Amino acid sequence: MATYSRLPGSVALITLQNPPVNALSAAVRQGIVDTVQRALKDPKVTSVVICGQNGRFCGGADIREFAGPMLGPPLVPMIHAIEAVDKPVVAAIEGVALGGGLELALGCHYRIAHSKALLGLPEVTLGLLPAAGGTQRLPRLIGLTAALDLITTGRHISAAEALKLGILDQVTDSNAVDLAVDFVRSVAGQPLDSRRLSTLACPCPPDVDSLLDKVMAQVRQRSRGALAPVACVQALRAAATLPYTQGMEKERDLMATLFNSGQARALQYAFFSQRVVGKWSLPSGANWNNSTGRTISKAAVIGLGTMGRGIVVALALTGMSVVAVETQEKQLAEASQAVPAMLQREAGRRSLATPPGVITFSSNLQDVSEVELVIEAVFENMALKLQVFRHLASVCGPGTLLCSNTSGLDMDQLAAVTKSPALVVGMHFFAPAHVMKLLEVVCGPRSSPEAVATAMQLGKRMGKVSVAVGNCPGFVGNRMLKPYLEQANFLLEEGATPQQVDEALEEFGFPMGVFRMSDLSGLDVGWRIRKEAGLTGPGVEPSRTRQGRRYSPLPDQVCEAGRLGQKTGRGWYQYDGPGGRVARSDPWVHIFLEAYRAQHGLVARSIAPEEILERCLYALINEGFNILQEAMAAGPEHIDAIYVFGYGWPRHRGGPMFHAGQVGLGRVLERLEHHHHNHPDVPHLEPSTLLRRLVAGGSPPVQKWREFINKDRVHS
Ligand code: 3H9
């Protein structure tokens, strides 16, 4: 709702009240309509200030209401009514003015903000556009070019930038409401015509069409199939070329299309998923609300390869001091050059609240004895990691948290060689660790709530989306990736080319298909893991069945040919040279695939993109259902957040589990049964029990799956 008070000097103060972000719910909109009317009618009131409770102006439309019928007064006429008021209205912006919140402020005649406030029109990130006049008023205020940038990216901007762009009239380091009240008294009685943005012309560059065409082309390329950014450009074209009223009609029509699209639902689900995963819980009942983590001020990282270096930077950016240990002298020398440069670059890109912490380089494990938390990031080899953990257990105090950056090894085995297994958790970062948003926090059976809470809090401090997951081979992300990669290889055996597989996946919205991605990461990573698992290497039978299931030796043979991906200039594609980035089709690969098929008596067939998508994506999704059933992820939102933030799953498709719901669980089940029938030697294609149970239960929406998962556990 909104409260009304009359301040000395004839100023009416309207305060939005809807914690935590004063979103514009039906009750708040009704409150604004009523209080603005009251201010208008009160002859003693000469001016109005609108602010938000608890130092937050407004976080925009109430996203929770989008799922239900539209109730209460609509935003557009409400904002029009404010703009039309003949007493000056000032928005006093503290905290945030986002989406509908900024649109409300744009309907006011003046805008004053606190210097720490953030402003923006992030609707595009929710699959929408700013449809309360934002696409029409903002370009009239700051010009088409700047509005295109803000609205198509949805980025939040600082008060300083908003002042420079002309969105704000004043910025203050002290109380924005007090300043707004003083200010509005000083402008009472002055003409308001030039302050009504809807009446202004939109400032445009002379070559407006070519600008709009250029931006549209960029947006289409960047958005990988997302509809909202394209609609934003269309709405801004209307602002630049049509009168205001017609522009508003265009905005409304585009919004109606977006609002009812599956993409908007997916993106709003992704918004809430990101928040759900922060509220972790363990099977023991310990959770984010009843567990306290430690505040870490000094940490250490062991192993300064690519991952270790990124982790050092991510930790130092939080302001904590970091001991960076590497026992190989050459690697240490390289890292002590590279890491400070990485830190400086990254600190320059962000506006840090505290200066970066001090990094001390060392070749001696003994130097970590004083730290509160250690992250081991040595080579992915159990024997080596066990050796490091044993060493750490003898060097560190009994209260030190010991974490591993393993991407899939058994955390419990590592915990077993320490003195305090309860203080051992996995912290699985994604490369580059100082940039990628995802962190899997791996909870072993003995990890204490305190250890999990500490890792989750540390993830948050590093700006990560941290997801608590269970301890199983590959955890959640890599475990699901395995059947996906496996299907991609089988498709090559059956007749597809790497380009065909990659194109189908990129068309779906992945930034890179599986083979281009593997070339980028290095093909030797998986090769080493398969050798460790006894799947390939000297003495292993070179057949297409290994350890009792279908196996494709294709990637092993590519590695054996010295083709390790971009780093060697050759992999599934060819590059300009070692380290080259542009993938080109390689005749060697086609000859190699033909020879391979001939050797194994395989007849190549033409494979449609639909089959490529079904085989790769449904195998991955099926494993997601197994993970849910085994409680290795607390809910579908956790899996979806992992895939959106760590594996390039297109955000406008919500995540793999949400996508399964959109496709229809019955359809996913039917296609898995079909492919499993054709490939009975591929266990990953056998539909999960949970999927069958959900379909039998009427294919409930993703938010209801937990009921079925819990039922499953009671019965198992
Ligand atoms: C829009 O405005 C459309 C219009 O143009 C046109 C309409 C016609 N609604 O993120 P936090 C909840 S679209 C409902 O953890 P922070 C959030 O779920 C909207 N709920 O805090 C969480 O709930 P819980 C455009 C919302 O301090 C709690 O608030 N606006 C909304 O890290 C705290 O959130 C946006 O896109 C909302 N609008 O960050 C802004 N916003 O505690 C979306 C938040 O139960 N919001 N909640 O988990 C944000 O970006 C961040 O929440 C914000 C605060 C920066 C505001």
Side-chain angles (χ1 to χ4, degrees):
M1 58 165 212
T3 58
Y4 180 90
S5 54
R6 212 173 71 218
L7 306 180
S10 315
V11 179
L13 181 67
I14 295 173
T15 309
L16 314 188
Q17 294 194 341
N18 183 15
V21 301
N22 298 319
L24 296 163
S25 62
V28 173
R29 297 196 303 276
Q30 189 62 58
I32 297 174
V33 169
D34 294 344
T35 49
V36 168
Q37 275 297 320
R38 194 165 157 191
L40 203 57
K41 285 190 189 140
D42 187 341
K44 296 217 181 79
V45 165
T46 56
S47 50
V48 182
V49 170
I50 303 181
C51 66
Q53 189 192 31
N54 297 334
R56 278 184 157 176
F57 180 69
C58 177
D62 194 326
I63 307 166
R64 278 170 234 272
E65 286 187 354
F66 290 170
M70 165 76 190
L71 302 170
L75 267 180
V76 170
M78 182 193 94
I79 294 173
H80 266 295
I82 292 171
E83 193 184 62
V85 167
D86 55 8
K87 303 173 182 183
V89 184
V90 181
I93 299 171
E94 293 185 305
V96 288
L98 296 172
L102 180 55
E103 291 174 294
L104 168 65
L106 292 172
C108 298
H109 305 118
Y110 299 92
R111 286 155 294 279
I112 289 179
H114 189 268
S115 51
K116 293 230 162 76
L118 289 176
L119 293 86
L121 292 174
E123 284 86 344
V124 70
T125 63
L126 298 169
L128 304 173
L129 50 69
T135 66
Q136 304 303 301
R137 284 198 181 87
L138 188 68
R140 283 175 164 78
L141 179 63
I142 65 172
L144 179 66
T145 313
L148 275 165
D149 167 42
L150 288 193
I151 292 177
T152 60
T153 60
R155 69 188 177 91
H156 297 182
I157 58 170
S158 65
E161 186 176 353
L163 181 68
K164 209 161 141 201
L165 285 170
I167 297 175
L168 295 173
D169 297 291
Q170 287 190 27
V171 172
T172 175
D173 287 330
S174 47
N175 190 306
V177 182
D178 290 347
L179 178 62
V181 170
D182 287 344
F183 174 84
V184 83
R185 282 192 195 116
S186 71
V187 293
Q190 289 183 14
L192 290 171
D193 284 350
S194 65
R195 309 298 310 181
R196 295 192 174 100
L197 301 181
S198 68
T199 65
L200 307 182
C202 174
C204 293
D207 49 351
V208 61
D209 277 333
S210 68
L211 170 71
L212 284 161
D213 291 347
K214 190 174 121 210
V215 174
M216 183 61 101
Q218 287 167 347
V219 156
R220 278 191 201 281
Q221 203 200 7
R222 206 174 54 209
S223 57
R224 297 189 268 130
L227 302 171
V230 173
C232 288
V233 181
Q234 288 168 333
L236 283 156
R237 185 183 286 275
T241 56
L242 297 174
Y244 175 76
T245 329
Q246 286 175 39
M248 286 300 286
E249 280 167 19
K250 184 77 181 167
E251 182 188 274
R252 187 197 58 211
D253 293 348
L254 289 165
M255 177 65 160
T257 311
L258 292 178
F259 197 80
N260 296 315
S261 73
Q263 291 196 1
R265 277 194 292 280
L267 284 157
Q268 286 152 32
Y269 165 84
F271 174 84
F272 287 116
S273 298
Q274 186 175 343
R275 279 145 188 91
V276 165
V277 299
K279 297 175 180 159
W280 58 273
S281 62
L282 299 180
S284 65
N287 63 42
W288 63 281
N289 209 14
N290 62 19
S291 311
T292 316
R294 296 187 203 162
T295 306
I296 305 294
S297 56
K298 191 165 185 188
V301 177
I302 316 293
L304 299 179
T306 312
M307 286 307 291
R309 292 177 195 189
I311 298 170
V312 171
V313 173
L315 290 171
L317 284 167
T318 67
M320 74 174 68
S321 47
V322 186
V323 181
V325 180
E326 171 58 62
T327 49
Q328 290 183 26
E329 288 299 337
K330 185 165 172 277
Q331 181 103 301
L332 178 66
E334 280 170 15
S336 46
Q337 294 287 311
V339 171
M342 281 162 69
L343 180 63
Q344 202 182 5
R345 245 191 337 266
E346 204 53 31
R349 278 198 329 118
R350 308 179 187 192
S351 47
L352 296 178
T354 44
V358 174
I359 303 174
T360 320
F361 291 91
S362 167
S363 59
N364 190 350
L365 259 182
Q366 214 65 32
D367 288 341
V368 308
S369 60
E370 301 292 309
V371 305
E372 298 145 293
L373 177 142
V374 182
I375 302 177
E376 164 279 307
V378 300
F379 219 55
E380 192 70 356
N381 173 288
M382 190 45 128
L384 179 61
K385 285 186 191 280
L386 283 170
Q387 195 186 328
V388 171
F389 265 70
R390 276 193 201 99
H391 207 122
L392 288 173
S394 68
V395 169
C396 300
T400 310
L401 255 88
L402 300 183
C403 310
S404 172
N405 176 50
T406 172
S407 58
L409 297 176
D410 183 2
M411 282 306 304
D412 202 32
Q413 218 179 316
L414 292 176
V417 299
T418 68
K419 290 180 196 138
S420 317
L423 293 180
V424 175
V425 280
M427 289 184 80
H428 178 207
F429 292 77
F430 290 74
H434 56 301
V435 177
M436 289 290 284
K437 290 282 280 183
L438 178 65
L439 177 71
E440 278 185 328
V441 172
V442 188
C443 316
R446 288 184 269 182
S447 305
S448 67
E450 185 195 20
V452 175
T454 305
M456 291 294 285
Q457 279 170 19
L458 182 54
K460 194 165 182 187
R461 265 174 82 186
M462 289 186 283
K464 307 282 179 206
V465 174
S466 310
V467 186
V469 298
N471 180 41
C472 57
F475 313 132
V476 170
N478 284 347
R479 177 169 160 182
M480 289 169 68
L481 200 65
K482 201 172 158 197
Y484 168 84
L485 295 172
E486 189 184 81
Q487 285 302 317
N489 292 327
F490 293 162
L491 286 160
L492 296 193
E493 291 187 338
E494 292 165 38
T497 64
Q499 292 90 311
Q500 282 167 344
V501 175
D502 284 351
E503 274 164 22
L505 293 166
E506 287 162 20
E507 187 63 25
F508 178 79
F510 281 99
M512 262 186 216
V514 52
F515 293 109
R516 285 216 293 140
M517 191 63 199
S518 303
D519 272 1
L520 174 69
S521 324
L523 302 185
D524 48 333
V525 181
W527 192 29
R528 202 166 42 234
I529 293 171
R530 292 192 295 278
K531 277 192 225 164
E532 275 207 25
L535 283 162
T536 187
V540 179
E541 202 45 40
S543 76
R544 289 177 53 242
T545 302
R546 298 197 191 168
Q547 298 178 358
R549 47 175 72 183
R550 180 170 166 190
Y551 179 84
S552 171
L554 275 173
D556 301 333
Q557 293 181 5
V558 170
C559 290
E560 282 156 17
R563 304 173 66 102
L564 304 183
Q566 286 189 4
K567 61 179 148 191
T568 56
R570 299 261 186 283
W572 293 108
Y573 294 91
Q574 59 178 327
Y575 301 85
D576 284 340
R581 292 285 175 100
V582 182
R584 277 179 290 111
S585 169
D586 190 342
W588 183 93
V589 173
H590 301 284
I591 295 165
F592 161 72
L593 285 175
E594 273 168 29
Y596 175 90
R597 291 181 197 122
Q599 184 197 347
H600 292 281
L602 298 164
V603 180
R605 63 185 173 92
S606 139
I607 302 178
E610 294 74 40
E611 179 177 344
I612 294 173
L613 285 184
E614 281 181 5
R615 297 261 304 269
C616 293
L617 301 186
Y618 295 179
L620 175 148
I621 287 168
N622 196 37
E623 195 59 22
F625 282 114
N626 289 331
I627 283 170
L628 287 176
Q629 196 168 289
E630 293 169 24
M632 291 297 149
E637 298 89 350
H638 298 68
I639 294 180
D640 287 335
I642 287 172
Y643 262 79
V644 166
F645 290 102
Y647 291 84
W649 185 280
R651 196 179 160 90
H652 62 268
R653 293 189 190 268
M657 309 320 286
F658 182 86
H659 180 67
Q662 282 205 319
V663 169
L665 297 184
R667 167 86 185 156
V668 175
L669 175 59
E670 183 255 305
R671 298 313 292 160
L672 277 168
E673 278 171 339
H674 169 83
H675 293 303
H676 190 230
H677 176 80
N678 290 344
H679 306 276
D681 53 350
V682 182
H684 282 130
L685 290 174
E686 183 175 359
S688 136
T689 314
L690 176 61
L691 173 59
R692 288 190 188 283
R693 189 185 292 274
L694 286 164
V695 173
S699 299
V702 68
Q703 292 81 1
K704 300 242 183 231
W705 290 4
R706 270 195 183 74
E707 296 164 22
F708 288 74
I709 299 164
N710 292 336
K711 206 193 288 173
D712 219 41
R713 278 185 212 142
V714 171
H715 288 273
S716 62

